Amino acid sequence: MKNRWEDKSAKETINKYSFVHEDIALRVYTSRLIGSESSLVLHGGGNTSVKTRVKNKFSEEIDVLYVKGSGWDLDTLEPQGLPGVRLSQLLKLRDLDFLSDEDMVNEQRINLLDASSPNPSVETLLHAFLPHKFIDHSHADAILVIANQIFSEKICKEIYKEKIAIVPYIMPGFELAKSAAEIFEQNTNVEGLLLINHGLFTFGGTAKESYDRHIEIVTMAEEYIADKKAKPLTKKKFSDYEHKKNEMFRTLSPILRGLYQKKSGKSWIINLRESVIAEEFASSQEVVTWSQIGTATPDHVIRTKQKPLLLDLKEWSNTHHLKREVSSSLEKYCKDYHTYFITNKKSKGVDKQELDQLPRVLLVNGLGLITISKSVKEANIAADIYEHTIDIIQKSFVLGDYSPLNSADLFDMEYWSLEQAKLGKSKEPPLHGKVTYISGAGSGIGLATAKLFAEQGSNLFLVDISQKKLDIATEEISKKFNIGIASKKINVEDEQGVKDSFEEMLNCFGGLDILISNAGNAVEGKIGQVDTNILRKSFELNFFAHQILSSLAVKIFLNQESGGVLLFNASKAAFNPGKDFGPYAIPKAAVVALAKQYALDYGEFGIRSNAINADRIRTGLFSDEVIDKRAKARGLSSKNYFKSNLLQQEVYDTDVAKGFLNLALAEKTTGSIITIDGGNISASPR
Ligand code: ZN
């Protein structure tokens, strides 16, 4: 493993963080070096600390431990992610015989220098009880290969001699901290501690010394493993090797999404990890046993659960059979999980609430690694973790065996309140986990709706004819909201283009919940005189595009079997056509009929279909010239045109967006057209 320390960068970091002590700046620097290496730590894994002296408000010098705060990742650590805790108070705790987790967290919090700091890491006491100035902790892949062997100790001696000490597995917290300190004190010359089934701690007098030792110890493990000969995996039989992987995924994912929704009442995101190694592992005979042993480090259990679900599916082409197969495999997994929960709860005599039983990682023969989580971010985290787990498992069997933490100990970790707290239990917005497809999303009503739906937690797939507008929209929304967002430039009149966009959407999110069929264009002409081709062309965009989009959406909804929402942007022209505006009004009237027809034909499947009847929204659809014309047609000045409604207020695209949101959330409303036009009695549906 490459040692990434550079004197120049270290100095730059000290200058950048000149507002904090140099020790803290260097602590940030090497924490980031460790965090940037995915084979050392992943997503919030690992922690680091530094001990230093600061003056308190009374100008008294006190010893302070700065340790990584909960909720911070090492690769993006900032000084405020290192809460400072009074060291003398932490050291006093070592004299206690017992300290509960709750008391430990409390002691750490009441001794913070800054009351607004995040919670110090659950491994804070281990950092405190060791005497070194700098301490680095990772869950390095190569270390886990060695730490998860039955003969770990023997292998460690062979590689490291007296360089590191071994700490048998104890769950993080007070007891582990005490035991690690005692083991260190038996041989204070060691440069680090290898924690069985867990990871590596190194320490030193400077940031560089502790980091150098960390990289060196990991590299020694890597070299030891590389010397052993790898065994090739045995390929399982797969009936359809000529298959198209993405097509399989797109058939499978809506079915999975529907089953998960049914079991949990929540919406899920499904991700296929493009990885040859994962596909080979999922399609091997070894996967049957190797994948079911346990997580590489206990921390991972909250992201991946203890075991992945294995799928070896016979039928791909017949959705009905596929559904049955997937459903019964999932049922079995959930039943086994329940048994694991009940057995451990009883034997430990603890009072715990069962978490959801659904697997987060799926290994599918012929397809590869699929992860399922409540958000795109979490699905990616689970996939990153499992990709590394595959590597660790395979290398473990090269050395000997893979013997990670047993299921009873893993239960303690999974149901540990301090571990669950890492997932954050903040209230989810109403569209959390949903997927919304919006046409004409680059500007006006489409864009306003995209922003509002993102604010409400929905993931977005945006389409528009302008790539530039999509790029701007995507950048703006993803900066502001923590959701999954993808986009594609298409012309909604092009049926193949629309189909391609739906495929891409499924590849990104695995399903769909809400379609906002919004794209349209105002076309003028006197009916009876206007060229039929103009009328036909308007129908292509203002009617058929809506129909193509909704038919594809409904197909996914039916496979998910968990309802679905169609929302159309119909114009008030559907009810109150403007003079010489027939080519726009007539297809829009057909869209209202279309919305009702979908409501009628698919209501029994829980699919809702509604439309919005908006009017006089200042968007790109209406150029100044068109506005002048439309105003004239209504006998109004251009200035008054937008306010000439019952409420005498201009209606904005954001008002229409709110209308779409209300309809998306109105669970008992279908076949309805709501009016968002400030009040126009002659256009109100009757
Ligand atoms: Zn750890």
Side-chain angles (χ1 to χ4, degrees):
M1 174 169 291
K2 192 171 180 267
N3 186 318
R4 296 184 189 278
W5 175 283
E6 282 172 18
D7 288 340
K8 193 169 154 262
S9 308
K11 272 200 192 104
E12 279 167 8
T13 313
I14 294 171
N15 291 337
K16 187 181 167 196
Y17 296 114
S18 57
F19 54 92
V20 294
H21 195 290
E22 189 180 308
D23 286 345
I24 295 177
L26 286 170
R27 181 63 286 174
V28 170
Y29 174 60
T30 52
S31 299
R32 284 182 168 227
L33 292 185
I34 290 173
S36 63
E37 197 82 60
S38 69
S39 53
L40 284 178
V41 292
L42 284 166
H43 306 290
N47 42 61
T48 55
S49 71
V50 60
K51 298 180 183 81
T52 187
R53 283 179 86 78
V54 298
K55 273 195 181 134
N56 67 10
K57 283 277 173 287
F58 311 102
S59 296
E60 298 157 348
E61 287 234 323
I62 53 165
D63 288 321
V64 178
L65 171 76
Y66 287 92
V67 63
K68 195 196 87 163
S70 187
W72 284 84
D73 286 355
L74 287 181
D75 61 337
T76 50
L77 192 69
E78 294 285 342
Q80 62 266 36
L82 287 162
V85 200
R86 285 178 199 88
L87 185 59
S88 58
Q89 297 302 109
L90 295 179
L91 290 174
K92 272 189 200 165
L93 297 172
R94 209 181 149 185
D95 295 335
L96 297 174
D97 291 329
F98 175 78
L99 182 68
S100 74
D101 293 334
E102 292 72 23
D103 287 345
M104 178 181 81
V105 171
N106 190 53
E107 287 299 323
Q108 288 169 187
R109 271 218 81 81
I110 59 175
N111 286 302
L112 283 171
L113 293 197
D114 178 348
S116 65
S117 293
N119 270 343
S121 156
V122 296
E123 277 156 333
T124 295
L125 292 186
L126 206 162
H127 288 266
F129 295 170
L130 291 169
H132 313 84
K133 190 170 176 66
F134 284 88
I135 300 180
D136 294 332
H137 168 47
S138 81
H139 304 145
D141 291 356
I143 293 296
L144 290 176
V145 171
I146 290 160
N148 286 322
Q149 294 288 329
I150 292 175
F151 302 108
S152 283
E153 215 165 327
K154 195 176 145 261
I155 296 172
C156 276
K157 280 270 165 297
E158 196 184 328
I159 305 173
Y160 300 112
K161 315 272 181 309
E162 297 296 310
K163 201 178 175 68
I164 59 172
I166 309 268
V167 181
Y169 181 78
I170 301 173
M171 203 167 105
F174 178 65
E175 210 191 320
L176 171 63
K178 271 181 87 162
S179 162
E182 279 159 22
I183 289 170
F184 165 73
E185 282 154 9
Q186 285 164 22
N187 178 8
T188 53
N189 290 325
V190 295
E191 296 173 10
L193 301 174
L194 183 136
L195 275 59
I196 297 293
N197 296 145
H198 180 163
L200 173 70
F201 277 82
T202 58
F203 21 71
T206 63
K208 187 170 186 306
E209 186 179 42
S210 180
Y211 173 75
D212 285 348
R213 286 173 168 179
H214 210 89
I215 300 303
E216 194 197 348
I217 289 168
V218 173
T219 307
M220 286 168 82
E222 284 177 341
E223 284 167 357
Y224 179 83
I225 298 161
D227 277 350
K228 312 277 177 223
K229 204 171 157 0
K231 291 175 206 153
L233 294 168
T234 333
K235 211 168 181 177
K236 228 193 258 178
K237 272 214 175 92
F238 185 72
S239 47
D240 176 19
Y241 272 112
E242 293 306 306
H243 67 281
K244 291 186 183 128
K245 261 202 319 167
N246 283 332
E247 217 173 293
M248 277 165 68
F249 176 70
R250 289 193 296 267
T251 316
L252 177 63
S253 61
I255 293 173
L256 277 168
R257 214 165 167 259
L259 291 168
Y260 271 60
Q261 155 92 32
K262 232 178 253 170
K263 285 198 87 72
S264 65
K266 304 226 163 176
S267 299
W268 298 76
I269 295 300
I270 309 193
N271 180 289
L272 173 66
R273 178 53 60 104
E274 293 290 338
S275 154
V276 179
I277 290 166
E279 192 191 336
E280 279 172 5
F281 185 65
S283 311
S284 70
Q285 284 181 22
E286 288 79 0
V287 77
V288 180
T289 47
W290 289 9
S291 71
Q292 302 297 296
I293 307 173
T295 62
T297 186
D299 223 20
H300 291 169
V301 71
I302 56 164
R303 303 283 188 188
T304 62
K305 294 232 179 223
Q306 190 189 350
K307 300 167 184 182
L309 167 65
L310 301 181
L311 287 179
D312 198 350
L313 301 161
K314 313 264 169 311
E315 287 277 357
W316 281 104
S317 42
N318 185 322
T319 335
H320 186 68
H321 287 167
L322 185 62
K323 241 177 227 178
R324 226 178 28 210
E325 262 193 279
V326 175
S327 170
S328 76
S329 299
L330 193 62
E331 280 306 325
K332 183 167 180 317
Y333 184 98
C334 292
K335 229 178 111 200
D336 290 349
Y337 184 87
H338 184 64
T339 311
Y340 149 83
F341 174 75
I342 293 294
T343 317
N344 281 295
K345 189 183 156 195
K346 262 195 196 153
S347 71
K348 289 165 195 288
V350 289
D351 180 26
K352 296 277 177 191
Q353 195 71 31
E354 186 169 3
L355 297 165
D356 79 71
Q357 307 164 337
L358 296 160
R360 300 297 191 270
V361 177
L362 277 74
L363 294 170
V364 188
N365 183 18
L367 186 55
L369 167 63
I370 288 177
T371 52
I372 309 186
S373 286
K374 307 255 177 63
S375 69
V376 172
K377 192 180 162 204
E378 283 173 31
N380 283 328
I381 291 177
D384 288 345
I385 289 177
Y386 208 78
E387 255 195 292
H388 282 266
T389 304
I390 291 173
D391 186 49
I392 293 165
I393 293 175
Q394 284 185 255
K395 286 183 176 144
S396 297
F397 281 106
V398 171
L399 290 201
D401 53 20
Y402 177 61
S403 173
L405 200 58
N406 62 51
S407 142
D409 281 332
L410 210 53
F411 174 88
D412 292 339
M413 200 66 186
E414 187 176 0
Y415 281 86
W416 190 27
S417 57
L418 304 190
E419 199 62 14
Q420 282 298 327
K422 287 184 185 170
L423 296 176
K425 286 279 178 283
S426 54
K427 201 174 173 295
E428 289 165 353
L431 297 181
H432 186 71
K434 301 270 185 218
V435 178
T436 304
Y437 179 114
I438 306 177
S439 71
S443 57
I445 294 169
L447 179 58
T449 308
K451 287 178 185 168
L452 184 61
F453 275 54
E455 190 187 292
Q456 298 301 313
S458 180
N459 300 287
L460 297 174
F461 194 88
L462 309 179
V463 300
D464 199 281
I465 42 168
S466 161
Q467 184 66 56
K468 199 173 153 215
K469 283 181 181 171
L470 280 176
D471 290 344
I472 296 169
T474 310
E475 203 195 320
E476 196 191 332
I477 294 171
S478 51
K479 255 190 204 153
K480 217 165 153 194
F481 304 106
N482 190 12
I483 52 145
I485 183 164
S487 67
K488 189 172 173 65
K489 179 194 163 198
I490 57 160
N491 179 347
V492 283
E493 291 171 45
D494 165 24
E495 190 164 353
Q496 191 53 49
V498 176
K499 279 184 181 160
D500 293 346
S501 72
F502 268 71
E503 289 188 354
E504 256 188 67
M505 177 191 65
L506 283 177
N507 291 342
C508 290
F509 304 116
L512 174 70
D513 301 286
I514 302 162
L515 166 71
I516 297 182
S517 190
N518 165 66
N521 195 13
V523 185
E524 294 179 287
K526 192 179 243 346
I527 203 71
Q529 294 174 17
V530 69
D531 187 336
T532 315
N533 283 330
I534 291 179
L535 193 56
R536 275 188 209 280
K537 184 126 182 49
S538 178
F539 257 90
E540 284 297 336
L541 176 61
N542 291 316
F543 173 75
F544 281 107
H546 292 282
Q547 154 55 13
I548 293 163
L549 285 163
S550 13
S551 66
L552 291 168
V554 163
K555 202 174 153 208
I556 297 172
F557 294 161
L558 291 176
N559 274 332
Q560 289 176 168
E561 287 185 15
S562 53
V565 180
L566 300 175
L567 295 170
F568 299 92
N569 186 359
S571 161
K572 73 99 210 186
F575 297 95
N576 179 18
K579 204 163 166 32
D580 299 339
F581 216 12
Y584 182 59
I586 298 164
K588 283 293 190 181
V591 166
V592 171
L594 183 76
K596 290 188 178 189
Q597 198 65 47
Y598 271 105
L600 182 63
D601 289 351
Y602 295 96
E604 63 183 294
F605 303 102
I607 296 169
R608 299 188 286 112
S609 171
N610 296 295
I612 282 186
N613 175 18
D615 188 23
R616 293 183 203 179
I617 314 292
R618 218 188 279 261
T619 67
L621 214 69
F622 292 94
S623 63
D624 288 348
E625 199 189 334
V626 173
I627 291 166
D628 278 349
K629 266 195 194 168
R630 296 322 315 154
K632 233 173 241 160
R634 301 274 168 194
L636 293 164
S637 71
S638 303
K639 208 176 139 227
N640 285 332
Y641 179 73
F642 286 103
K643 286 188 180 178
S644 66
N645 54 46
L646 298 177
L647 297 172
Q648 300 177 14
Q649 289 177 44
E650 182 167 348
V651 183
Y652 299 99
D653 48 14
T654 46
D655 295 311
V656 184
K658 280 180 204 158
F660 278 129
L661 179 64
N662 288 334
L663 283 172
L665 297 172
E667 285 177 13
K668 302 288 164 69
T669 300
T670 190
S672 159
I673 289 95
I674 68 163
T675 301
I676 298 178
D677 59 2
N680 177 353
I681 214 67
S682 48
S684 61
R686 65 196 92 171

